[in-house]
Structure formats: structure tokens, C-alpha cells
Amino acid sequence: MIIRLFAPIHSIRTLVGSFFTLLMVVCLNDVALAQNAKDHYTEGNMLARDRRYEESIKEYSIAISMDSNYIDAYYNRGTSKIRIKDYESAIPDFDKAIALKPDFARAYSNRAIAKLQLERPQDALADLTTSIKLEPGNASAYFMRAQARLQVGDKDGGCEDLREAKSLGDQRADRFLRQYCSDSASMAAMGRPEELQLTWPESEGWKVMNTQEGDGVKVIELTRGGESLDHWSEIGTVTTYRGMAIGTVADEMKQLFTQAKTAAPSAKLTVIERDTAATYPWILFKIETNEKEPESQVWRIVNGSHDLFMAFWGVKRAVITPEEERKWAAFLKTATVVKH
């Protein structure tokens, strides 16, 4: 993320007397204000990383109240609002980010996501076309524009975008080409509910401690050995985002790592395995952090037909051993997407 810095103090040293002193105080106050805004922005990123989106929105809002031109805070607040399906409220945040940075390609793409969810495909088309002009190699933007074009009845244009998305590496496009770009294509196939089935080993004492579902997000949290969610050494989580299989699994991994890096600068990302050509594309990776309170995880992200699934095993240590990596990577690979 790009953080704007205030003018350095030495730029006003040529001023003298009380006028110099006044400007020095004002400048120092501005720097302190900017630092406070950054602190709240960073806290918002940490909360978003933990999928506590409503709380992250509050922190981004505080940062914005302190710095009304904080582009990334507007963008991230809008993205968190998408996660809780507050699409109407997300759009003005992307509007502001774009007003401050007209070449912000991702802001156009995310605004398009909100518009697609609000059944405004024609408006989404305009945003996605702009995003593609600014970032021609973005496979996800082509994939989303294909959805918008298909929704407005432009089958030829939608199929053209799917082919371009496929050529740029979006492996989901191949499935949609088979699904929508033939005479037998049926949009109804997208409507069946999906779940990620993953059975945690009861022999190791794993137990579901919390299940929450609402606003299109379902979270299952587990601990082992009788540990609580407030005090744990190992944790497991499975999260479902309804209707959020929009970006590639690699994009989702990068977003998670960016959030982790903001909260913990020592964070290290290692890709373990991936299969983007699978019926349901997936990626396995680990994130390790060596901070005051270290925590590391092995993740698997899976794109369903229309839902996004994230599962991870976490441990409160800075390093995951090779044995643990093999064990939990193999376990997470047992997760399967099923349709009801």
C-alpha cells in the first residue's frame, strides 16, 4: 500500500522567529495526525486479515476522519464492506478512491463487483472496461466483465472475455467457456449451494468451538485438547464466502499475505502446491511470522463455482516444521467441494 508522507521539517527551516515556531508546531501536529491515521489503518488491516470486517471498517473510518485523502483506507474499507455484502455502502468508498487516484485499476474492479452483486451489470461493464484499459493483463477483470456481458445478454462478448481471461492464466475461464459458450449452456448451474467438506481428526481432540453464519459468510473455528478460542496453541478454521469466487486463488493468497505483512512485517509466504486447472482451482501455502506473539498457518484456498472457501491450521510459533507442513498440507487437500 502507498502511504503518503508529509513535507519534511527541514523544508521550512529558512523561516525565522515566531512564524517559524508556529509552522514547526503545525507541521509536527500534521505528522502526528498522519501517524495516528496510519495506526488505525494498520489496525483495520489486521482486523480484516482476521475476517473481523465490521471492526476493520470502524478502524478505516477513523483513519479517514484523520486524513480525508487516505486513498488506501477508502479502498480497503470498501473491500471490507463487500466482504459483509454491504454493496451499496461500498460503492461511495471506491468512488472516493477513484476521485483521489483516477488510475486506480483495482478500485474500478472492486466497484464493479459491488455493482454486479446489486444487479447493475451495465454499470459494472463500464468500470471493468476502464480497469482493463488501466491494467490490460488483469485476467480477473476480463473474467468479471465476461459475467457482466453474459448478464446483459452479450454472449459473444462474454465468451470473448472468457477466452482472453483463459489466455492470461485464469483457469476458471475454461470451465465457464464449456458452461456458457455452447448451445447447452445454462446459467442455472451456478445456483446450487456448495460446501467445503473437511473432517478434522477427532482422535487428536479437535472440536468445533464456534460456528457463525450471516451476511453470506460462514465461519467454523476449532481447537484441540480442550483449548478455548481465547487461549489456544493450535487452531483450525474453515470459512465460506457466498458468491465471492471472483478473483483467482492466487489473488486471494496475495491479499491475505498483504494483510499479514501489514500486521507483521516479518511475515514470510511460501507456496506449497497449487492446481489452477482443477474443476475447483486451489492453492496451498504457508505464512510464518516471527513477531512478539508469533503465529504461523498452513492455508488452502479453493474456488467453487460461485463460492470462495478458505481453510487453515494455525500454531502460535514462528516456524512450521517440515513434518507439520506435510501433515497439514495433506490434510487440507482432503477437503472437497460438494453441491447440494
Side-chain angles (χ1 to χ4, degrees), residues 168-186:
L168 290 169
D170 193 329
Q171 298 299 323
R172 294 170 304 166
D174 194 44
R175 183 170 82 252
F176 281 84
L177 280 166
R178 294 193 301 268
Q179 201 169 5
Y180 302 141
C181 299
S182 65
D183 293 337
S184 60
S186 173

Side-chain angles (χ1 to χ4, degrees), residues 82-188:
I82 284 180
R83 290 298 193 186
I84 64 171
K85 295 198 171 185
D86 185 5
Y87 305 119
E88 288 283 5
S89 181
I91 290 174
D93 281 338
F94 297 125
D95 290 344
K96 184 65 175 179
I98 290 167
L100 291 168
K101 186 179 179 183
D103 62 348
F104 198 164
R106 287 177 299 152
Y108 287 100
S109 293
N110 278 16
R111 188 168 70 177
I113 292 172
K115 290 176 179 179
L116 283 171
Q117 295 295 335
L118 293 169
E119 299 183 358
R120 293 165 52 186
Q122 199 67 55
D123 290 343
L125 270 173
D127 277 345
L128 290 165
T129 298
T130 301
S131 179
I132 288 168
K133 286 180 180 177
L134 292 169
E135 201 173 81
N138 188 337
S140 293
Y142 280 102
F143 182 79
M144 286 189 288
R145 192 172 71 173
Q147 295 183 54
R149 284 179 160 174
L150 289 169
Q151 286 184 34
V152 299
D154 181 8
K155 181 178 176 180
D156 290 341
C159 291
E160 180 183 346
D161 276 347
L162 285 172
R163 294 185 187 97
E164 184 64 24
K166 180 182 177 181
S167 73
L168 290 169
D170 193 329
Q171 298 299 323
R172 294 170 304 166
D174 194 44
R175 183 170 82 252
F176 281 84
L177 280 166
R178 294 193 301 268
Q179 201 169 5
Y180 302 141
C181 299
S182 65
D183 293 337
S184 60
S186 173
M187 294 295 285

Side-chain angles (χ1 to χ4, degrees), residues 225-250:
E227 294 182 332
S228 70
L229 290 175
D230 293 326
H231 302 285
W232 56 267
S233 57
E234 293 182 69
I235 192 169
T237 301
V238 180
T239 304
T240 302
Y241 297 100
R242 300 296 182 195
M244 290 301 296
I246 297 174
T248 67
V249 289

Side-chain angles (χ1 to χ4, degrees), residues 25-299:
V25 170
V26 170
C27 188
L28 287 172
N29 286 339
D30 285 347
V31 171
L33 186 62
Q35 186 60 44
N36 287 336
K38 181 181 178 181
D39 290 344
H40 287 285
Y41 169 77
T42 301
E43 179 66 19
N45 287 345
M46 293 173 64
L47 292 165
R49 181 197 65 178
D50 293 336
R51 301 171 299 283
R52 295 160 62 182
Y53 297 113
E54 292 184 354
E55 295 172 70
S56 75
I57 289 167
K58 292 178 182 178
E59 291 298 324
Y60 293 136
S61 296
I62 295 172
I64 289 167
S65 71
M66 294 179 169
D67 182 355
S68 61
N69 293 323
Y70 209 142
I71 298 171
D72 291 333
Y74 285 109
Y75 173 80
N76 283 7
R77 187 171 71 174
T79 302
S80 284
K81 288 176 179 178
I82 284 180
R83 290 298 193 186
I84 64 171
K85 295 198 171 185
D86 185 5
Y87 305 119
E88 288 283 5
S89 181
I91 290 174
D93 281 338
F94 297 125
D95 290 344
K96 184 65 175 179
I98 290 167
L100 291 168
K101 186 179 179 183
D103 62 348
F104 198 164
R106 287 177 299 152
Y108 287 100
S109 293
N110 278 16
R111 188 168 70 177
I113 292 172
K115 290 176 179 179
L116 283 171
Q117 295 295 335
L118 293 169
E119 299 183 358
R120 293 165 52 186
Q122 199 67 55
D123 290 343
L125 270 173
D127 277 345
L128 290 165
T129 298
T130 301
S131 179
I132 288 168
K133 286 180 180 177
L134 292 169
E135 201 173 81
N138 188 337
S140 293
Y142 280 102
F143 182 79
M144 286 189 288
R145 192 172 71 173
Q147 295 183 54
R149 284 179 160 174
L150 289 169
Q151 286 184 34
V152 299
D154 181 8
K155 181 178 176 180
D156 290 341
C159 291
E160 180 183 346
D161 276 347
L162 285 172
R163 294 185 187 97
E164 184 64 24
K166 180 182 177 181
S167 73
L168 290 169
D170 193 329
Q171 298 299 323
R172 294 170 304 166
D174 194 44
R175 183 170 82 252
F176 281 84
L177 280 166
R178 294 193 301 268
Q179 201 169 5
Y180 302 141
C181 299
S182 65
D183 293 337
S184 60
S186 173
M187 294 295 285
M190 288 285 289
R192 296 175 59 192
E194 297 173 327
E195 295 291 341
L196 187 72
Q197 287 190 347
L198 182 61
T199 303
W200 293 75
E202 292 185 9
S203 61
E204 295 184 3
W206 287 97
K207 183 179 179 180
V208 174
M209 303 300 293
N210 182 46
T211 300
Q212 293 184 345
E213 187 167 8
D215 295 323
V217 181
K218 181 179 180 180
V219 181
I220 301 172
E221 296 175 295
L222 310 92
T223 61
R224 63 182 297 186
E227 294 182 332
S228 70
L229 290 175
D230 293 326
H231 302 285
W232 56 267
S233 57
E234 293 182 69
I235 192 169
T237 301
V238 180
T239 304
T240 302
Y241 297 100
R242 300 296 182 195
M244 290 301 296
I246 297 174
T248 67
V249 289
D251 288 339
E252 296 293 342
M253 176 190 69
K254 290 174 184 176
Q255 181 174 337
L256 275 173
F257 180 58
T258 297
Q259 293 169 351
K261 195 77 172 173
T262 300
S266 69
K268 178 184 176 182
L269 171 68
T270 305
V271 176
I272 300 171
E273 190 177 348
R274 72 178 81 192
D275 188 351
T276 54
T279 302
Y280 301 109
W282 56 269
I283 191 166
L284 265 168
F285 58 95
K286 65 180 180 180
I287 296 176
E288 298 168 301
T289 62
N290 187 14
E291 301 290 326
K292 183 178 180 181
E293 297 182 1
E295 181 181 338
S296 301
Q297 309 102 18
V298 177
W299 288 82

